[in-house]
Amino acid sequence: MSPWIATPLLLLGSNVLMTFAWYGHLKAPHWPLWLAIVVSWGIALLEYCLAVPANRIGFTAGAFTGQQLKVMQEVIALSVFAGFSVLFLGEPLRWNFAAAAVCLAAAVGFIFLPVK
């Protein structure tokens, strides 16, 4: 599979897992803190099994620079969290989230500009 496809797909999967690792326990406030930590670490382990290969594939294939990988990850993370906050946490999206998305879109534009 092309690194142009594999890298963002793996990053998407890793961000879904990491979002649940960091914020999924908020729907289980009755859990003791130690249990939330253990469950979160278990999910984070799986997340690393996707994030590390995503970055390695994208970088070593020469498809992306480290800076491009980081910006891509941040855009994917915010996109995943937007859906998570609405669907899982029941929070509405507000104007400032859209404004942040516009700023991230600009960051993507800048980071992928050719450098000469």
Side-chain angles (χ1 to χ4, degrees):
M1 181 181 289
S2 163
W4 289 91
I5 295 170
T7 299
L9 285 179
L10 287 167
L11 286 174
L12 177 64
S14 78
N15 274 281
V16 168
L17 288 171
M18 203 60 190
T19 298
F20 275 96
W22 285 353
Y23 303 102
H25 61 87
L26 297 178
K27 292 290 272 193
H30 58 281
W31 287 3
L33 185 56
W34 69 266
L35 180 58
I37 292 169
V38 168
V39 169
S40 293
W41 271 76
I43 296 169
L45 174 64
L46 297 174
E47 182 269 341
Y48 271 68
C49 291
L50 297 178
V52 171
N55 289 309
R56 184 169 284 210
I57 289 167
F59 188 80
T60 59
F64 303 104
T65 66
Q67 296 159 349
Q68 290 171 332
L69 287 166
K70 182 59 183 170
V71 169
M72 185 186 326
Q73 188 278 327
E74 293 299 335
V75 170
I76 291 170
L78 238 174
S79 301
V80 166
F81 191 79
F84 178 86
S85 67
V86 170
L87 300 172
F88 191 76
L89 297 177
E91 298 176 346
L93 290 181
R94 294 188 171 84
W95 72 267
N96 58 340
F97 200 96
V102 169
C103 292
L104 280 174
V108 169
F110 286 123
I111 202 73
F112 281 93
L113 282 175
V115 179
K116 295 200 182 204

